[in-house]
CSV table of all heavy atoms in Angstrom, one decimal:
chain,number,residue,atom,x,y,z
N,54,LYS,N,89.0,98.4,98.4
N,54,LYS,CA,87.7,97.7,98.1
N,54,LYS,C,86.9,98.7,97.4
N,54,LYS,O,86.7,99.8,97.8
N,54,LYS,CB,87.1,97.4,99.5
N,54,LYS,CG,86.0,96.4,99.4
N,54,LYS,CD,86.5,94.9,99.3
N,54,LYS,CE,85.5,94.1,99.1
N,54,LYS,NZ,86.0,92.8,98.3
N,55,ILE,N,86.5,98.3,96.1
N,55,ILE,CA,85.8,99.1,95.2
N,55,ILE,C,84.3,98.7,95.0
N,55,ILE,O,84.1,97.4,94.9
N,55,ILE,CB,86.5,99.0,93.8
N,55,ILE,CG1,88.0,99.3,94.0
N,55,ILE,CG2,85.9,100.1,92.9
N,55,ILE,CD1,88.5,100.6,94.5
N,56,ASP,N,83.4,99.6,95.0
N,56,ASP,CA,82.2,99.3,94.5
N,56,ASP,C,82.1,99.3,93.2
N,56,ASP,O,82.4,100.4,92.4
N,56,ASP,CB,81.1,100.4,95.1
N,56,ASP,CG,79.8,100.1,94.8
N,56,ASP,OD1,79.4,99.7,93.7
N,56,ASP,OD2,78.8,100.3,95.7
N,57,GLU,N,81.8,98.2,92.5
N,57,GLU,CA,81.9,98.1,91.0
N,57,GLU,C,80.9,98.9,90.2
N,57,GLU,O,81.4,99.6,89.1
N,57,GLU,CB,81.7,96.5,90.5
N,57,GLU,CG,82.9,95.8,90.5
N,57,GLU,CD,82.7,94.4,90.0
N,57,GLU,OE1,82.0,94.2,89.0
N,57,GLU,OE2,83.2,93.4,90.7
N,58,LYS,N,79.8,99.1,90.8
N,58,LYS,CA,78.7,100.0,90.1
N,58,LYS,C,79.1,101.3,90.1
N,58,LYS,O,79.0,102.2,89.0
N,58,LYS,CB,77.5,99.9,90.7
N,58,LYS,CG,76.7,98.5,90.3
N,58,LYS,CD,75.3,98.6,90.8
N,58,LYS,CE,74.6,97.2,90.4
N,58,LYS,NZ,73.3,96.9,91.2
N,59,THR,N,79.4,102.0,91.2
N,59,THR,CA,79.7,103.4,91.4
N,59,THR,C,81.3,103.8,91.2
N,59,THR,O,81.5,104.9,91.0
N,59,THR,CB,79.4,103.9,92.8
N,59,THR,OG1,80.2,103.2,93.7
N,59,THR,CG2,77.8,103.7,93.1
N,60,GLU,N,82.0,102.7,91.2
N,60,GLU,CA,83.5,102.9,91.2
N,60,GLU,C,84.0,103.7,92.2
N,60,GLU,O,85.1,104.4,92.1
N,60,GLU,CB,84.0,103.5,89.8
N,60,GLU,CG,83.7,102.6,88.6
N,60,GLU,CD,84.0,103.1,87.3
N,60,GLU,OE1,84.5,104.3,87.2
N,60,GLU,OE2,83.9,102.5,86.3
N,61,LYS,N,83.4,103.7,93.4
N,61,LYS,CA,83.8,104.4,94.6
N,61,LYS,C,84.6,103.5,95.4
N,61,LYS,O,84.4,102.3,95.5
N,61,LYS,CB,82.6,104.9,95.4
N,61,LYS,CG,82.0,106.2,94.7
N,61,LYS,CD,81.0,106.7,95.6
N,61,LYS,CE,80.4,108.0,95.0
N,61,LYS,NZ,79.3,108.6,95.7
N,62,ILE,N,85.5,104.1,96.1
N,62,ILE,CA,86.4,103.4,97.1
N,62,ILE,C,85.6,103.3,98.4
N,62,ILE,O,85.3,104.1,99.1
N,62,ILE,CB,87.7,104.2,97.4
N,62,ILE,CG1,88.6,104.3,96.1
N,62,ILE,CG2,88.5,103.4,98.4
N,62,ILE,CD1,89.9,105.1,96.3
N,63,LYS,N,85.2,101.9,98.5
N,63,LYS,CA,84.3,101.7,99.7
N,63,LYS,C,85.1,101.5,101.0
N,63,LYS,O,84.6,101.9,102.0
N,63,LYS,CB,83.6,100.3,99.4
N,63,LYS,CG,82.3,100.3,98.5
N,63,LYS,CD,81.6,99.1,98.8
N,63,LYS,CE,82.3,97.7,98.5
N,63,LYS,NZ,81.4,96.5,98.3
N,88,GLY,N,85.6,106.8,99.8
N,88,GLY,CA,84.3,107.5,99.3
N,88,GLY,C,84.4,108.1,98.0
N,88,GLY,O,83.5,108.5,97.4
N,89,LYS,N,85.6,108.3,97.6
N,89,LYS,CA,85.8,108.9,96.3
N,89,LYS,C,85.8,107.9,95.0
N,89,LYS,O,86.0,106.8,95.4
N,89,LYS,CB,87.2,109.7,96.1
N,89,LYS,CG,87.2,111.0,96.9
N,89,LYS,CD,88.5,111.7,96.5
N,89,LYS,CE,88.5,113.2,97.0
N,89,LYS,NZ,87.9,113.5,98.3
N,90,THR,N,85.4,108.4,93.9
N,90,THR,CA,85.5,107.6,92.7
N,90,THR,C,86.9,107.5,92.5
N,90,THR,O,87.8,108.1,92.9
N,90,THR,CB,84.8,108.1,91.5
N,90,THR,OG1,85.4,109.3,91.1
N,90,THR,CG2,83.3,108.4,91.8
N,91,LEU,N,87.3,106.3,91.6
N,91,LEU,CA,88.7,106.1,91.3
N,91,LEU,C,89.1,107.4,90.4
N,91,LEU,O,90.3,107.7,90.6
N,91,LEU,CB,88.8,104.8,90.5
N,91,LEU,CG,88.4,103.5,91.2
N,91,LEU,CD1,88.6,102.3,90.2
N,91,LEU,CD2,89.3,103.4,92.4
N,92,THR,N,88.3,107.8,89.7
N,92,THR,CA,88.9,109.0,88.9
N,92,THR,C,89.2,110.2,89.7
N,92,THR,O,90.1,110.9,89.7
N,92,THR,CB,87.6,109.5,87.8
N,92,THR,OG1,87.4,108.3,87.0
N,92,THR,CG2,88.1,110.6,87.0
N,93,GLN,N,88.3,110.4,90.7
N,93,GLN,CA,88.6,111.5,91.7
N,93,GLN,C,89.7,111.2,92.6
N,93,GLN,O,90.6,112.1,92.8
N,93,GLN,CB,87.3,111.7,92.7
N,93,GLN,CG,86.0,112.2,92.1
N,93,GLN,CD,84.8,112.0,92.9
N,93,GLN,OE1,84.7,111.2,93.9
N,93,GLN,NE2,83.8,112.9,92.7
N,133,VAL,N,88.8,97.6,87.4
N,133,VAL,CA,88.0,98.5,86.6
N,133,VAL,C,88.9,99.8,86.3
N,133,VAL,O,88.3,100.7,85.6
N,133,VAL,CB,86.7,99.1,87.3
N,133,VAL,CG1,85.7,98.0,87.6
N,133,VAL,CG2,87.1,99.7,88.7
N,137,VAL,N,88.4,103.5,83.8
N,137,VAL,CA,88.7,104.8,84.4
N,137,VAL,C,89.6,105.5,83.6
N,137,VAL,O,89.4,106.8,83.4
N,137,VAL,CB,89.2,104.6,85.9
N,137,VAL,CG1,89.6,106.0,86.5
N,137,VAL,CG2,88.1,103.9,86.7
N,140,ARG,N,88.4,107.5,80.3
N,140,ARG,CA,87.6,108.7,80.7
N,140,ARG,C,88.4,110.0,80.7
N,140,ARG,O,89.5,110.1,81.1
N,140,ARG,CB,86.7,108.6,81.8
N,140,ARG,CG,85.6,107.7,81.7
N,140,ARG,CD,84.8,107.6,82.9
N,140,ARG,NE,84.1,106.3,82.8
N,140,ARG,CZ,83.8,105.6,83.7
N,140,ARG,NH1,84.0,106.0,85.0
N,140,ARG,NH2,83.2,104.4,83.7
Side-chain angles (χ1 to χ4, degrees):
K54 192 82 191 155
I55 311 294
D56 183 317
E57 271 186 45
K58 278 190 186 160
T59 63
E60 292 178 0
K61 284 187 176 174
I62 297 172
K63 280 197 300 190
K89 285 195 167 36
T90 64
L91 296 177
T92 307
Q93 291 167 337
V133 293
V137 173
R140 287 180 205 151

